[in-house]
Short mmCIF file of all heavy atoms in Angstrom, two decimals:
data_model
loop_
_atom_site.label_atom_id
_atom_site.label_comp_id
_atom_site.label_asym_id
_atom_site.label_seq_id
_atom_site.Cartn_x
_atom_site.Cartn_y
_atom_site.Cartn_z
N ALA U 35 -45.48 -1.41 -38.31
CA ALA U 35 -45.22 -0.27 -37.36
C ALA U 35 -44.80 0.95 -38.16
O ALA U 35 -44.00 0.85 -39.17
CB ALA U 35 -44.15 -0.70 -36.38
N LEU U 54 -63.97 8.88 -24.94
CA LEU U 54 -64.27 8.39 -23.54
C LEU U 54 -63.71 9.39 -22.48
O LEU U 54 -63.51 9.10 -21.30
CB LEU U 54 -63.55 7.01 -23.31
CG LEU U 54 -64.14 5.85 -24.09
CD1 LEU U 54 -63.37 4.62 -23.81
CD2 LEU U 54 -65.62 5.67 -23.73
N HIS U 84 -50.77 -3.88 -28.12
CA HIS U 84 -50.25 -3.16 -29.42
C HIS U 84 -51.24 -3.18 -30.48
O HIS U 84 -52.24 -4.04 -30.45
CB HIS U 84 -48.98 -3.78 -29.76
CG HIS U 84 -49.06 -5.30 -30.19
ND1 HIS U 84 -49.31 -5.69 -31.56
CD2 HIS U 84 -49.13 -6.42 -29.60
CE1 HIS U 84 -49.43 -6.95 -31.61
NE2 HIS U 84 -49.37 -7.41 -30.35
N GLU U 118 -60.42 3.61 -6.93
CA GLU U 118 -59.53 4.36 -6.07
C GLU U 118 -58.27 4.83 -6.94
O GLU U 118 -57.92 6.03 -6.91
CB GLU U 118 -58.94 3.44 -5.02
CG GLU U 118 -60.01 3.07 -3.96
CD GLU U 118 -60.58 4.56 -3.31
OE1 GLU U 118 -59.77 5.33 -2.84
OE2 GLU U 118 -61.76 4.69 -3.33
N VAL U 188 -51.83 -5.43 -16.51
CA VAL U 188 -52.45 -6.75 -16.95
C VAL U 188 -52.68 -6.61 -18.39
O VAL U 188 -53.29 -5.64 -18.88
CB VAL U 188 -53.72 -7.02 -16.21
CG1 VAL U 188 -54.33 -8.35 -16.62
CG2 VAL U 188 -53.53 -6.96 -14.63
N GLY U 195 -51.44 -19.79 -29.76
CA GLY U 195 -51.02 -21.23 -29.82
C GLY U 195 -52.18 -22.11 -29.63
O GLY U 195 -53.39 -21.65 -29.42
N ILE U 278 -25.78 -18.79 -59.35
CA ILE U 278 -25.53 -19.20 -58.00
C ILE U 278 -25.55 -17.96 -57.08
O ILE U 278 -24.83 -16.96 -57.40
CB ILE U 278 -24.16 -19.88 -57.97
CG1 ILE U 278 -24.22 -21.11 -58.83
CG2 ILE U 278 -23.76 -20.25 -56.54
CD1 ILE U 278 -22.79 -21.66 -59.12
N ALA U 280 -24.89 -15.02 -54.74
CA ALA U 280 -23.66 -14.51 -54.15
C ALA U 280 -23.81 -14.16 -52.66
O ALA U 280 -22.94 -14.18 -51.87
CB ALA U 280 -23.28 -13.11 -54.84
N LEU U 288 -35.02 -18.17 -32.36
CA LEU U 288 -34.93 -19.38 -31.39
C LEU U 288 -35.68 -18.95 -30.09
O LEU U 288 -35.45 -17.71 -29.64
CB LEU U 288 -33.44 -19.63 -31.11
CG LEU U 288 -32.56 -20.05 -32.22
CD1 LEU U 288 -31.05 -20.11 -31.81
CD2 LEU U 288 -33.04 -21.46 -32.81
N ASN U 399 -64.25 -9.72 -19.74
CA ASN U 399 -64.90 -9.66 -18.33
C ASN U 399 -63.81 -10.13 -17.20
O ASN U 399 -63.81 -9.50 -16.21
CB ASN U 399 -66.10 -10.62 -18.37
CG ASN U 399 -67.32 -9.90 -18.93
OD1 ASN U 399 -67.61 -8.75 -18.60
ND2 ASN U 399 -68.05 -10.60 -19.69
N THR U 415 -60.50 -12.74 -3.73
CA THR U 415 -61.50 -13.58 -3.05
C THR U 415 -61.73 -14.87 -3.95
O THR U 415 -61.52 -14.74 -5.14
CB THR U 415 -62.71 -12.84 -2.87
OG1 THR U 415 -63.21 -12.25 -4.21
CG2 THR U 415 -62.63 -11.72 -1.96
#
Side-chain angles (χ1 to χ4, degrees):
L54 291 178
H84 62 97
E118 288 304 308
V188 183
I278 298 167
L288 299 172
N399 279 316
T415 49

